[in-house]
Amino acid sequence: MLIQSTLLALSATLAAAVKPLTVKNQFFVDASDNIFQIVGVAYQPGGSAGYDAALGKDPLSNGDICRRDAAILQILGVNTIRIYNLNPDVNHDECASIFNAAGIYMILDVNSPQVAGSLQNYNPWESYYDTYVNRTFAVVEAFKNYDNTLAFFSGNEVINDASSAGQVPPYMRAVTRDIKNYVAKHSDRKIPVGYSAADVREVLFDSFEYFTCAEDGQSDDPSRADIFALNSYSWCGNSDLQKSGYIDLIEGFSNTSVPVFYSEYGCNEVKPRVFTEVDAIYGEQFSAVFSGGIVYEYTEEENSYGLVSVNTKDQSVTLLKDFYTLKDQFAKLDWKKVQSVKSAKDGSGPKPPKCDKKLITSKDFDGNFTLPAMPPNVPKILANGVSPKPSGKLIDITDFTSKYTVKNADGSVISNLAVKPLSSDVSNSPGTNDAKIQSSGSVSSSGNSTSSGSDSQPESTDTKNTSGAAGSAVAMTLPAMAMGAFAIFAGLAL
């Protein structure tokens, strides 16, 4: 064990950071011009309780927890995590550097459950003001210098029904514009900014057309989303492209001019989950349009979507049945083939349509492309940068060993657990970290019943959208963190 730790420490001085990804045509591409497929997991340990501004606590504030989780996610085969609630006033250098060394990119939501932390989905003009916009800029400022920052989400499921579709679109597009302008002025590189949508088919494709069109027909329109993602739970159990409605998504996004991917997936109506959609998501038909997806979610909360269970008393982790099943599904694929597709010539992809109300099919959707002006004080913040200004930078990590106990589903301890630092421009993939864990065949179907020992609340509502091919069900997918923020705003309005 001493020898292993010494070798890991030595490799830390030799390992180089993963290089930033870029957007080319309608895909993410790496430094070798290969199309990058997101193999992700939603990462919000403790749910909404994992964010506590008063304690300076968020999912990327504790290096020891990040070592533990980065090692586990490496074993799973993940190359991307999505983090919902972040505190820009907390230093994230250690955690960002650990995930960077592990070959894992980060997609970051700029909103939070705090007052003035998000755009509300009713009367959005009441929440679109300088304090809120400053907060979104601060998140960008805190994470823009990490090479493994892949993208920012300007909003998550803010449009989730016909009512919100009638008010939110111009304000959501304005927030995207503001963040993109901040990135353009204050970041050394272009970092994609886009929207994470609820898979409510009545408004999904209108949202896509509205956010990804270009007002002047040019792709450099600052209010146009650089990426578009959706939280979709329509593939349940042993489904297929037709039953799940996936075929409709392939067809609906087939002419996309920006990367499209699942920002959440993993229906749990059938338990334990079987994740048969993995083969479809990374298959040739789907990956010709989509750029992968993010499984919901890492830790077990009250909504029962967890891959692992965390004991909050001693920070030990137990792998659950879903972890082993998902790992097995990932292991079936030829990842060298999946991640080695060369991109087409720049500019040869679909062009963004010119914004026009004719793009919008629903009479309830606000297709007005005259966006609200920046709130008072925001132009000054945009020009000068946020103050005080958060700063982040990648740092050398000399210890990659997990200090916390991690157990298999049968209770046996995984020995010598550590992050395996990767070499330059190498993202994580299944099999990179070959730590010995329990075989999936010996895990009972009740593996997900392990108690977490946590008193935290779930990050999202218990009910996820599982609309199928018809897509007619109204989604109940608005995250609890946003619901909480909206309730606060409502209380203030009263």
Side-chain angles (χ1 to χ4, degrees), residues 114-132:
Q114 288 184 303
V115 174
S118 58
L119 189 74
Q120 61 191 41
N121 68 346
Y122 60 93
N123 297 348
W125 50 88
E126 295 177 357
S127 54
Y128 181 56
Y129 56 100
D130 59 347
T131 303
Y132 164 62

Side-chain angles (χ1 to χ4, degrees), residues 301-377:
E301 309 295 341
E302 290 185 2
N303 49 12
S304 300
Y305 283 86
L307 301 175
V308 307
S309 175
V310 179
N311 186 316
T312 55
K313 295 178 180 178
D314 62 7
Q315 295 303 325
S316 63
V317 166
T318 300
L319 307 185
L320 302 179
K321 173 66 175 177
D322 283 359
F323 180 95
Y324 297 91
T325 304
L326 181 60
K327 182 178 182 295
D328 283 352
Q329 292 290 2
F330 285 157
K332 292 178 182 179
L333 300 178
D334 181 348
W335 288 103
K336 288 185 177 180
K337 179 180 178 181
V338 170
Q339 299 286 23
S340 63
V341 177
K342 291 296 180 182
S343 67
K345 181 180 178 181
D346 194 20
S348 63
K351 303 298 186 290
K354 186 175 182 179
C355 293
D356 191 297
K357 286 188 176 181
K358 294 179 181 178
L359 293 171
I360 308 304
T361 61
S362 171
K363 62 180 179 59
D364 297 317
F365 197 99
D366 186 349
N368 179 11
F369 291 98
T370 301
L371 307 184
M374 288 186 290
N377 298 324

